[in-house]
């Protein structure tokens, strides 16, 4: 939300309108637009609005036509509409329609870029509480608008405004609010409740990284985006085979793609940012909605969807280390009636590693989406993604003593031609049918297929005294298919004065996982980390290695959940829910050089996980909340008798406050959390080849996040976290040890300013930092990763339909360690050195 002003001659402010507008009177720094009562003949006084019909009027079609003077916007309706509020924000003229809902054939939003000379943008969208907003943005000044209504049509005529026009002397200034395009602040999120819910109404901490932040920072990898969120740090990447994140002290955070999870293999493959609309991070245990997860939280990647108006965006990025990444984003209607829409995102990325590898990073990505409005109440969206990438297999550095070995961070301890091949297919649909304005059915399916191949030198031992690392030639092929079906019903109803949003759903998933690993234990290769010599495996045929692992697994999951969001009063909201999960897994181990007999085991686990939270809103822009929730994750370790361990359980308490500040432009969240993870697998003190579920870990801390607009053109996203994460019970690890990869203190800041007017209009600058405190490198706390402070900056220039930018990461070329793998043999991962990315994008 942004703050702006418009002026009205005193002669037009009479009766109920004057009384309604006087509380908004403000002072300085006003935008000014002259308006008269004749310009908005459809306005209805406030006292008459109170008697408006309770059932919202549906807007079923939006048509736009350029005219000699500007444009005409026509809305087809099921009844007569009335404008409850008009305003001006910057160059945008805004009209809010009370008691209305947008029900378009293809999408519940209308968007038109540059529809007429002097008009930059037209946007019609739904607002909370049964309102629809029309925003018409002028190129150089707010447009003048005229509104007329009939029983089935609402017409807005707009003509470009005069940028040199001045307000009359007898005008008074009226403070109003309006939505801003390209905002850092997203008021709603769906990850926490699986319904579109205002963040202030959610009794947990959820942070949203909108598309504008991704563009301003020129984000290429997901880890770069997540540096903006408190309590989130990067964990080990399995040698570049996947990605892993730590939330609130717990590794292996679940990453969702449009609400769907990848199971099996190394978990989440490397995420693509080309088609990301935003990233939502839900903190704390959340099994009620997503089944088996770690208690730290989940990361949901929300992708871009088709738009009803044509948009063609082409961008080229280039940088040091021969980085090159062209990408495109095309969207619009495929049929004249707008019932069939499409969106196409594609990109290609090539980059040299800063480490001494011969193998480069190379990645191809394409994602077409089709959206079909079958009827005014039924929609179907088909989505496809394909990724093909090749990158170096990087097992990282090693520690010596209590710190990382003192060797150059760009030195590779792997063979230079080690390689990871990853091919990923994601295809599915999303179906929604609205039985009425209050009840809807949603059904979605996703099929994913991931083929992962790792080839290279696998470290098995490291002698700190001599600096010699023992490695074996290895080849690992993992093929994983996921079949996921989600079905839920959302209903809004009232029991007396109490309003409910009810969610009932069923999740089904099957994961088929196959792993074939070859290792040559008869020909070890030694290398000295201080003076490495490569080529030990040049004569090895990696396709013909002895079979060390040959396994298949099939996992079936069923989850049933019920959640109710209850508005007890205008100030008090209760969210409560319960989920039942059952998981059955069958493992088949084939014959290898170690196991001469095929074996099969089956494991069954189930759990009930509740969540309850309450929100108190003493004012409309402040929320105080508290919540309790649980999580569950099956453990596939076994006891000395061969029995599977009990599932890991997590529970968390959270208390906090949220506030929308600066007239709704800025969102701030302060949270205290206390999370316990129980039944953690730990080695059996009698049988070192088995485990017992007696481990317990606890994480407590404080987080603070703020994001939004401080002044027009000045945006900020910042965070701070204090986390005390430790082992509280274990058979081997001493109680009180810190959980690895978890800094006690971490903070981030990113702020940008773009000149709004004058000769330098469109010129932007950005500056930020990321601070991460010391972290334990393993659960034994045998070595530490040093703290680091990274500075980032950007310069940009936006003009008409194009934008050019220069982004600088790690501006002062600081050596730092990004993450460790809880091992003294491998997996200490250095972060990127100084990086520059130049970008140019154009829309047409």
């Amino acid at each position: 939300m942004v703050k702006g002003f418009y002026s009205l001659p005193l002669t037009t402010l009479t009766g109920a309108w004057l009384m309604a507008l006087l509380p908004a009177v403000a002072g300085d720094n006003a935008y000014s637009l002259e308006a008269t009562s004749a310009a908005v003949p459809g306005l209805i006084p406030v006292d008459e609005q109170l008697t408006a019909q309770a059932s919202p009027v549906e807007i079923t079609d939006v048509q736009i036509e350029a005219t000699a003077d500007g444009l005409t916007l026509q809305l087809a309706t099921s009844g007569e509409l009335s404008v409850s509020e008009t305003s001006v924000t910057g160059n945008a003229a805004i009209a809010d329609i009370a008691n209305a809902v947008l029900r378009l054939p293809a999408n519940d939003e209308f968007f038109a870029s540059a529809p007429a000379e002097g008009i930059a943008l037209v946007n019609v969208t739904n607002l909370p509480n049964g309102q629809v907003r029309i925003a018409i943005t002028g190129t150089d000044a707010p447009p003048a608008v005229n509104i007329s209504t009939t029983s089935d049509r609402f017409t807005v005529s707009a003509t470009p405004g005069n940028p040199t026009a001045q307000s009359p002397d007898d005008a008074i200034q009226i403070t109003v609010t309006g939505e801003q395009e390209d905002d850092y602040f997203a008021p709603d999120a769906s990850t926490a409740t699986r319904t579109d819910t205002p963040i202030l109404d959610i009794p947990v901490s959820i942070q949203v990284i909108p598309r504008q932040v991704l563009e301003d920072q020129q984000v290429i990898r997901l880890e770069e985006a997540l540096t903006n969120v408190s309590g989130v740090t990067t964990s080990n990447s399995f040698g570049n085979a996947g990605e892993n994140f730590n939330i609130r002290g717990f590794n292996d955070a679940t990453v969702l793609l449009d609400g769907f999870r990848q199971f099996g293999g190394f978990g989440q493959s490397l995420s693509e940012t080309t088609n990301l609309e935003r990233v939502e991070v839900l903190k704390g245990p959340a099994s009620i909605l997503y089944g088996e997860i770690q208690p730290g939280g989940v990361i949901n990647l929300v992708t871009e969807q088709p738009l009803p108006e044509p948009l063609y965006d082409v961008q080229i990025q280039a940088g040091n280390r021969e980085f090159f990444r062209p990408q495109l984003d095309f969207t619009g209607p495929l049929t004249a009636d707008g019932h069939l829409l499409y969106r196409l995102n594609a990109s290609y990325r090539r980059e040299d590693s800063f480490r001494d590898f011969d193998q480069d990073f190379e990645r191809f990505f394409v994602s077409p989406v089709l959206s079909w409005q079958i009827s005014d109440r039924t929609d179907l969206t088909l989505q496809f993604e394909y990724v093909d990438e090749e990158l170096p297999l990087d097992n990282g550095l090693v520690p010596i003593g209590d710190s990382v070995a003192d060797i150059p961070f760009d030195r590779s301890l792997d063979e230079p031609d080690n390689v990871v091949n990853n091919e990923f297919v994601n295809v599915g649909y999303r179906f929604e049918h609205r039985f009425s304005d209050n009840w809807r059915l949603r059904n979605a399916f996703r099929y994913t297929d991931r083929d992962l191949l790792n080839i290279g030198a696998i470290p098995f031992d490291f002698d700190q005294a001599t600096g010699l690392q023992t490695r074996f030639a290895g080849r690992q092929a993992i093929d994983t298919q996921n079949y996921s079906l989600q079905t839920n019903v959302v209903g809004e109803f009232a029991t007396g004065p109490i309003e409910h949003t009810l969610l009932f759903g069923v999740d089904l998933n099957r994961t088929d996982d196959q792993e074939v690993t070859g290792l040559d234990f008869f020909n070890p290769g030694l290398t000295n980390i201080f003076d490495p010599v490569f080529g030990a495996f040049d004569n090895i045929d990696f396709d013909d290695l002895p079979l060390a692992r040959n396994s298949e697994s099939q996992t079936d999951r069923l989850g049933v959940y019920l959640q109710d969001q209850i508005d007890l009063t205008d100030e008090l909201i209760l969210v409560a829910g319960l989920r039942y999960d059952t998981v059955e897994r069958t493992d088949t181990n084939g014959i290898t050089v170690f196991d001469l007999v095929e074996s099969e085991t089956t494991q069954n686990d189930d759990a009930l996980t509740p969540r309850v939270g309450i929100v108190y809103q003493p004012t409309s822009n402040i929320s105080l909340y508290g919540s309790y929730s649980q999580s569950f994750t099956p453990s596939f370790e076994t006891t000395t008798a061969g029995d599977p361990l009990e599932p890991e359980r997590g529970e968390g308490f959270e208390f906090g406050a949220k506030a929308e500040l600066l007239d709704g432009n800025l969102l701030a969240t302060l949270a205290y959390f206390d999370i316990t993870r129980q039944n953690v697998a730990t080695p059996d003190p009698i049988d070192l080849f088995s485990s017992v579920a007696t481990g317990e870990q606890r994480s407590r801390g404080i987080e603070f996040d703020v994001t939004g607009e401080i002044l027009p053109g000045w945006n900020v996203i910042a965070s701070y976290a204090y986390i005390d994460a430790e082992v509280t019970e274990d058979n081997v690890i001493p109680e009180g040890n810190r959980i690895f990869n978890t800094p006690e203190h971490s903070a981030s800041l990113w702020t940008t300013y773009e000149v709004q007017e004058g000769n330098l209009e469109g010129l932007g600058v950005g500056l930020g930092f990321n601070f991460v405190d010391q972290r334990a490198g393993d659960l034994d706390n045998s070595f530490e990763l040093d703290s680091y402070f990274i500075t980032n900056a950007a310069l940009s220039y936006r003009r008409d339909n194009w934008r050019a930018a220069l982004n600088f990461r790690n501006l002062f070329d600081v050596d730092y360690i990004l993450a460790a793998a809880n091992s003294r043999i491998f997996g200490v991962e250095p972060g990127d050195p100084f990086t520059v990315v130049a970008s140019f994008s154009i829309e047409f």
Side-chain angles (χ1 to χ4, degrees):
M1 306 289 288
V2 295
K3 182 176 180 180
F5 303 88
Y6 73 106
S7 63
L8 293 176
L10 287 174
T11 55
T12 69
L13 298 179
T14 59
W17 279 109
L18 181 61
M19 297 305 294
L21 291 170
L22 281 178
V25 171
D28 303 325
N29 302 321
Y31 293 105
S32 182
L33 175 69
E34 177 148 346
T36 66
S37 58
V40 284
L43 296 182
I44 296 177
V46 172
D47 52 354
E48 294 183 25
Q49 294 173 30
L50 296 177
T51 63
Q53 57 183 354
S55 178
V57 176
E58 289 194 356
I59 300 172
T60 57
D61 189 31
V62 179
Q63 298 290 334
I64 190 168
E65 180 181 356
T67 65
D69 298 328
L71 62 83
T72 298
L73 187 72
Q74 289 193 338
L75 281 60
T77 71
S78 62
E80 189 165 356
L81 298 175
S82 60
V83 177
S84 62
E85 179 183 350
T86 60
S87 64
V88 167
T89 299
N91 287 342
I94 296 171
D96 285 349
I97 305 171
N99 196 34
V101 62
L102 199 59
R103 294 281 192 235
L104 300 182
N107 195 4
D108 288 346
E109 183 176 17
F110 177 86
F111 178 91
S113 178
E117 185 175 356
I119 304 296
L121 181 70
V122 174
N123 186 231
V124 185
T125 185
N126 282 309
L127 293 181
N129 302 319
Q131 296 187 78
V132 171
R133 169 159 294 171
I134 302 173
I136 304 177
T137 305
T139 304
D140 302 309
V145 298
N146 183 76
I147 300 175
S148 62
T149 65
T150 65
S151 60
D152 62 351
R153 192 158 294 274
F154 184 96
T155 303
V156 181
S157 300
T159 58
N162 182 358
T164 62
Q166 301 295 324
S167 301
D169 294 338
D170 61 349
I172 63 172
Q173 301 293 333
I174 309 297
T175 304
V176 298
T177 62
E179 295 284 349
Q180 179 195 2
E181 298 293 329
D182 300 334
D183 205 344
Y184 269 39
F185 165 46
D188 303 324
S190 61
T191 303
T193 60
R194 277 193 175 178
T195 61
D196 290 327
T197 304
I199 290 178
L200 289 184
D201 295 350
I202 300 173
V204 291
S205 176
I206 182 166
Q207 307 303 321
V208 179
I209 310 169
R211 180 69 194 178
Q212 190 61 37
V213 175
L214 305 180
E215 292 179 356
D216 287 350
Q217 296 182 347
Q218 288 295 295
V219 165
I220 299 166
R221 299 189 298 267
L222 179 58
E223 66 186 50
E224 297 165 359
L226 293 174
T227 59
N228 297 290
V229 181
S230 66
V232 180
T233 54
T234 301
S235 193
N236 62 295
S237 67
F238 314 106
N240 275 340
E243 59 189 4
N244 190 6
F245 299 99
N246 180 306
I247 301 180
R248 287 183 169 176
F250 298 102
N251 285 282
D252 302 319
T254 299
V255 179
L256 309 172
L257 183 60
D258 289 324
F260 285 89
R261 177 180 176 180
Q262 294 178 44
F263 291 94
F266 283 109
Q268 173 72 23
S269 61
L270 296 175
S271 300
E272 181 56 54
T273 61
T274 299
N275 65 334
L276 282 190
E277 176 66 30
R278 64 186 184 274
V279 180
E280 298 183 358
V281 181
L282 170 63
K283 310 287 188 66
S287 278
I288 180 178
L289 295 180
Y290 301 107
E292 49 186 280
I293 68 166
Q294 291 296 329
V298 298
I299 301 161
N300 189 21
L301 311 182
V302 182
T303 60
E304 294 178 325
Q305 298 300 307
L307 298 176
E309 292 297 322
L311 174 67
Y312 308 98
D313 189 332
V314 177
Q315 179 173 251
I316 295 178
Q317 297 170 303
N320 58 341
R321 297 190 293 277
E322 299 188 18
F323 170 70
F324 179 66
R325 187 192 188 213
Q327 53 185 317
L328 60 85
D329 179 7
F330 294 170
T331 185
L334 289 175
T335 58
D337 60 9
H339 288 183
L340 188 63
L341 309 176
Y342 84 97
R343 190 153 197 162
L344 175 64
N345 290 100
S347 66
Y348 169 79
R349 173 191 168 203
R350 188 204 171 280
E351 182 180 11
D352 288 345
S353 173
F354 75 92
R355 314 241 297 138
D356 294 331
F357 284 103
D358 294 336
Q359 175 64 49
D360 301 326
F361 292 88
E362 194 168 20
R363 181 182 180 97
F364 171 74
F365 169 82
V366 63
S367 175
V369 183
L370 287 176
S371 178
W372 176 29
Q373 183 179 23
I374 301 172
S375 71
D376 60 347
R377 292 190 178 274
T378 306
D379 304 316
L380 177 66
T381 299
L382 306 177
Q383 189 162 351
F384 175 82
E385 285 190 2
Y386 175 75
V387 175
D388 187 7
E389 66 179 344
E390 192 171 79
L391 58 161
L393 176 63
D394 187 355
N395 287 299
L397 305 178
V398 293
I400 292 181
D402 60 0
S403 61
V404 179
D406 187 15
I407 58 176
F409 281 7
D410 61 359
R411 177 175 297 170
S412 168
L413 305 183
D414 301 273
E415 292 297 306
D417 56 355
N418 281 8
V419 65
V420 175
N421 288 317
N422 181 45
E423 189 174 21
F424 176 69
V425 175
N426 176 16
V427 60
Y429 70 81
R430 184 175 65 254
F431 173 84
E432 178 174 309
H433 178 72
R434 294 172 290 278
F435 300 103
S436 66
D437 292 339
N438 297 325
W439 287 91
R440 65 182 60 193
L441 169 71
R442 301 182 301 192
N443 174 261
F445 171 79
R446 287 294 171 91
Y447 165 77
T448 64
D449 185 357
R450 184 186 184 197
D451 290 325
L452 178 67
L453 177 63
N454 303 324
I455 299 175
I458 310 301
F460 270 79
D461 191 26
F462 175 61
D463 188 333
Q464 298 184 66
T466 63
L468 292 177
Q469 187 181 62
T470 302
R471 305 170 303 155
F472 295 96
R475 182 182 189 277
Q476 182 182 47
I478 300 177
D479 185 13
T480 304
Q481 292 93 34
N482 272 285
Y483 309 82
S484 299
L485 182 68
Q486 298 179 354
T487 304
N488 61 59
V489 176
V490 180
E492 298 177 359
F493 61 94
T495 54
I498 300 176
E499 297 181 353
H500 301 259
T501 299
L502 189 69
L503 173 70
F504 172 75
V506 178
D507 293 341
L508 291 170
N509 171 268
R510 167 168 286 184
T511 302
D512 292 325
D513 213 351
Q514 181 178 14
E515 178 184 343
V516 178
T517 300
L519 285 171
D520 185 4
F521 285 105
F522 304 102
N523 297 288
L526 299 178
T527 187
N528 191 315
I529 68 168
F530 298 105
D531 186 18
V533 177
F534 303 112
F537 306 116
D538 287 351
N539 298 322
I540 296 291
D541 184 355
F542 282 85
D543 291 328
D544 195 27
L545 296 175
L547 192 60
R549 181 175 176 83
N550 181 17
S551 67
E552 295 182 4
S553 68
Q554 184 176 97
T555 308
D556 292 315
R557 302 173 179 87
L558 167 65
V560 182
Y561 56 91
L562 179 68
Q563 173 187 271
D564 196 5
Q565 299 168 245
I566 308 170
D567 292 348
L568 299 172
T569 67
D570 290 340
E571 297 83 19
L572 201 61
I573 302 170
L574 175 67
V575 178
L578 184 67
R579 180 185 181 105
Y580 171 74
D581 280 289
T582 177
V583 180
E584 179 180 277
R585 171 166 166 152
T586 300
D587 288 289
T588 303
N589 295 311
I591 297 174
T592 67
V593 295
F594 301 109
D595 298 311
L596 302 180
V597 179
E598 185 174 293
S599 63
E600 182 176 296
T601 60
T602 299
Q603 176 178 340
N604 290 278
D605 292 300
D606 61 356
L608 282 171
T609 50
R611 177 172 73 173
V612 61
I614 194 163
V615 178
Y616 172 63
Q617 297 175 334
T619 64
S620 61
N621 66 323
I622 295 177
S623 292
L624 308 176
Y625 71 90
S627 68
Y628 170 80
S629 56
Q630 292 184 0
S631 68
F632 124 98
T633 306
S635 175
F636 299 113
E637 303 291 334
T638 58
T639 66
T640 187
D643 298 324
L645 299 185
E646 291 294 316
E648 289 186 4
R649 300 301 299 257
E651 65 173 359
F653 299 88
E654 182 174 333
F655 304 95
K658 304 175 187 180
E660 289 186 3
L661 308 172
L662 302 180
D663 291 330
N665 292 337
L666 201 71
L667 175 68
T669 302
L670 177 66
Y672 168 81
F673 62 89
D674 188 327
I675 304 173
T676 302
R677 178 186 177 195
Q678 299 171 324
N679 294 341
V680 180
T682 182
D684 189 319
I686 300 175
D687 181 1
L688 297 181
F689 295 97
S690 302
S691 301
V692 290
T694 61
E696 183 180 88
Q697 299 171 0
R698 183 177 185 180
S699 179
R700 295 176 289 184
I702 297 173
E703 296 170 335
F704 177 71
D705 290 86
V706 60
T707 180
E709 184 186 59
I710 299 175
L711 292 172
W714 183 10
N715 292 316
V716 65
I717 182 169
S719 70
Y720 168 77
Y722 165 78
I723 299 176
D724 178 18
E726 62 181 5
V727 176
T728 52
E729 185 178 339
D730 201 275
N731 288 332
V732 176
I733 302 167
E735 295 182 12
N737 274 17
R738 291 182 294 156
I739 300 176
F740 71 101
N741 279 331
T742 304
E744 189 173 39
H745 299 275
S746 59
S748 70
L749 170 68
W750 173 256
T751 184
T752 61
Y753 178 74
E754 184 174 300
V755 179
Q756 301 294 289
E757 57 185 0
N759 294 333
L760 297 179
E761 181 180 354
L763 180 65
V765 294
L767 185 65
F769 70 84
N770 298 108
F771 169 73
V772 175
D773 205 357
Q774 290 180 333
R775 295 145 290 154
D778 59 5
L779 280 174
D780 289 331
N781 289 186
S782 65
F783 70 101
E784 279 200 342
L785 312 178
D786 289 339
S787 63
Y788 62 85
F789 187 97
I790 301 298
T791 305
N792 307 303
L795 291 172
S796 65
Y797 185 69
R798 187 193 310 269
R799 195 70 174 179
D800 298 326
N801 63 334
W802 60 269
R803 181 181 186 271
L806 277 174
N807 284 72
F808 306 92
R809 302 192 185 100
N810 195 357
L811 190 61
F812 300 108
D813 200 20
V814 175
D815 286 337
Y816 69 100
I817 297 299
L818 187 65
N822 192 28
S823 171
R824 296 191 62 91
I825 299 174
F826 63 91
V828 177
E829 300 182 8
D832 288 351
F834 170 74
T835 301
V836 58
V837 176
S839 62
F840 178 82
S841 63
I842 184 169
E843 292 183 5
F844 54 93

